[in-house]
Amino acid sequence: MAGPSLELTSLAWARDSVSNTWRTFAAFLDGTIAEVLWRQASVAHALDSYGGVVWALAAAPVACVRPGFAHVLAAACDDGSVRLFGCEGGEPGLVAERVLARLEGRLLCAAWHAGGTALAVAGTSGNIHVLDAMSGEAGGRRAGRGAEREGREQ
């Protein structure tokens, strides 16, 4: 597979609601996200995350994607931001939608709730944050093991 000579940090699948096909997106150490074009054995349509390295990509549950609407991917970024990108049906690449939240420390992982209404993210701060997927409001924060040892539990 030809592509940037950069290290890959994350992969995610997204459903194209127009063609009803699955598409793959890859994040790289330089902070870009690109679409994997399997038939051409390459990556294309790269876009900057504007959050530094994207350590994790997480696709919203496919059951939450309405016909004709974008399948949303969340990016857990090096600058502590959770950035949302849309896989627009029938259009190449991703579209930057918005910054959902900016949190303390580097974000290393992200996972959607099965209903698509919440997103859990965690990183170097030792905390797990649960965010409302629409507003970005923190619905909860749990201290991880490292935070407890350092007295940061909340």
Side-chain angles (χ1 to χ4, degrees), residues 36-84:
V36 177
L37 303 175
W38 295 106
R39 287 191 176 111
Q40 290 87 358
S42 66
V43 295
H45 316 296
L47 122 118
D48 196 316
S49 72
Y50 294 104
V53 179
V54 174
W55 293 108
L57 284 175
V62 72
C64 300
V65 181
R66 297 188 319 255
F69 286 84
H71 192 161
V72 178
L73 275 72
C77 298
D78 200 61
D79 69 353
S81 64
V82 180
R83 295 173 183 268
L84 300 182

Side-chain angles (χ1 to χ4, degrees), residues 49-141:
S49 72
Y50 294 104
V53 179
V54 174
W55 293 108
L57 284 175
V62 72
C64 300
V65 181
R66 297 188 319 255
F69 286 84
H71 192 161
V72 178
L73 275 72
C77 298
D78 200 61
D79 69 353
S81 64
V82 180
R83 295 173 183 268
L84 300 182
F85 296 88
C87 173
E88 301 286 341
E91 298 294 325
L94 292 173
V95 175
E97 291 190 354
R98 65 189 174 110
V99 176
L100 184 64
R102 183 160 300 210
L103 304 167
E104 182 183 324
R106 172 182 296 146
L107 294 181
L108 300 173
C109 54
W112 285 89
H113 180 275
T117 57
L119 185 67
V121 294
T124 58
S125 73
N127 294 312
I128 301 168
H129 300 268
V130 179
L131 307 171
D132 179 277
M134 294 302 289
S135 69
E137 298 281 323
R141 180 170 95 170

